[in-house]
Amino acid sequence: MKYVRFNYKGHIRYGIIENHDVRLISNEPFSSFKKLDQTITLKSLKILPPTKPTKVIGLGYNYKDLVGQKDKYDEPVIFLKPSSSIIGHGQSIRLPSKSKVWTEVELAIVIGKKGSNILIENAESHIFGYTIGNDVTMSNILDRDHHLARSKGLDTFCPLGPIIETELDTSDIKLKNIINDKILQDSSTSNRILNDKEIVSLVSSFMTLLPGDIILTGTPANAENSIIKSGDTVKVSIEGLGELVNKAL
């Protein structure tokens, strides 16, 4: 099922995509809700980021084509992006002056149920669905801030969306990062080191996950060559989830 979050008549609402229309639901989809009779044309809506998470957790070095083939892989790096960094489909990425900035296509897990210290065998029940993430990253500050707040946490540095898909086999789906029609990243989730259930279990061992929270599951090779400049159009796409498009300013 495909869910979308949007602004309708001054109110933030959720709905279920039905062909070219959206059927309104009574509240957030992470708890019980009712389907309402009202439908709205999808094209007429202002699409918002798919959730309002308490936190966005990111994984670094979770793709084999990024870190290289090994007999044994290290545990991925874990970092946080603030909620103030989140923007939606069609919104603009604001670039800082005089800094190298690149984009990273990522499959994003949407958490549906509260949990901590979640066992791998129970992790699937905490996953509500999936969306597309773009982990926008700035070059190091004094060569020491890579994967920390100033590199990853600037305003507009976390595009998410446009939908949440609840029925998706993520074991081997294509993902691409396209800047001005040039493909910079082209890989598959089959190259990940940890899968969805392992990721949820790992992250929940450090912090409690809440409904609507987002986990970015890592990016494949060639992210640091996916450099954006003012005026560029960034299109990150994932098979089964569509395209998340943003322009750099």
Side-chain angles (χ1 to χ4, degrees):
M1 193 171 289
K2 293 178 171 62
Y3 292 87
V4 65
R5 180 171 172 262
F6 54 93
N7 192 312
Y8 180 63
K9 294 184 177 180
H11 299 281
I12 296 174
R13 304 292 301 269
Y14 276 92
I16 298 169
I17 297 175
E18 299 177 345
N19 296 318
H20 301 294
D21 294 328
V22 174
R23 181 170 299 279
L24 271 68
I25 60 176
S26 56
N27 50 30
E28 291 186 345
F30 312 116
S31 58
S32 59
F33 64 85
K34 293 180 180 180
K35 291 184 181 180
L36 305 180
D37 293 334
Q38 187 176 6
T39 61
I40 309 166
T41 303
L42 179 58
K43 286 185 178 180
S44 68
L45 296 176
K46 180 183 178 182
I47 303 299
L48 299 175
T51 75
K52 190 177 180 181
T54 65
K55 51 193 169 293
V56 177
I57 307 105
L59 265 65
Y61 306 111
N62 192 39
Y63 272 77
K64 297 173 184 177
D65 57 357
L66 174 63
V67 301
Q69 293 296 322
K70 297 182 179 181
D71 293 330
K72 184 178 180 181
Y73 291 95
D74 296 329
E75 186 177 273
V77 171
I78 297 175
F79 59 91
L80 293 170
K81 293 174 82 82
S83 58
S84 54
S85 68
I86 295 172
I87 58 173
H89 176 73
Q91 292 185 277
S92 297
I93 300 166
R94 298 199 304 272
L95 303 181
S97 61
K98 300 179 181 179
S99 292
K100 175 184 172 184
V101 176
W102 61 88
T103 55
E104 304 183 0
V105 58
E106 309 215 7
L107 176 69
I109 296 171
V110 182
I111 297 298
K113 186 171 70 173
K114 181 180 178 179
S116 62
N117 296 307
I118 300 166
L119 299 177
I120 291 175
E121 55 265 34
N122 297 330
E124 190 171 359
S125 68
H126 291 265
I127 298 173
F128 177 77
Y130 302 89
T131 191
I132 303 172
N134 185 348
D135 179 20
V136 183
T137 305
M138 183 176 65
S139 57
N140 297 4
I141 303 286
L142 303 176
D143 294 324
R144 63 182 182 177
D145 266 352
H146 190 55
H147 289 306
L148 296 179
R150 284 184 289 184
S151 290
K152 298 279 192 178
L154 275 68
D155 289 355
T156 75
F157 267 33
C158 189
L160 294 172
I163 66 166
I164 301 172
E165 173 62 79
T166 60
E167 300 171 10
L168 186 66
D169 179 355
T170 64
S171 59
D172 184 12
I173 53 176
K174 299 294 184 183
L175 63 172
K176 294 182 180 181
N177 184 357
I178 304 169
I179 300 173
N180 298 333
D181 298 322
K182 181 180 180 181
I183 299 174
L184 276 301
Q185 290 180 283
D186 187 357
S187 189
S188 168
T189 54
S190 64
N191 287 316
R192 289 187 298 174
I193 296 166
L194 299 186
N195 63 31
D196 299 328
K197 292 186 285 187
E198 292 167 331
I199 289 167
V200 169
S201 180
L202 172 64
V203 172
S204 73
S205 70
F206 294 97
M207 61 193 78
T208 299
L209 298 174
L210 298 174
D213 281 352
I214 297 288
I215 304 177
L216 303 175
T217 65
T219 197
N222 210 43
E224 288 195 33
N225 291 321
S226 304
I227 299 168
I228 54 171
K229 298 178 180 178
S230 181
D232 287 347
T233 297
V234 184
K235 182 190 299 181
V236 288
S237 66
I238 298 181
E239 187 178 359
L241 292 174
E243 297 175 343
L244 172 62
V245 182
N246 301 91
K247 190 166 184 176
L249 296 179

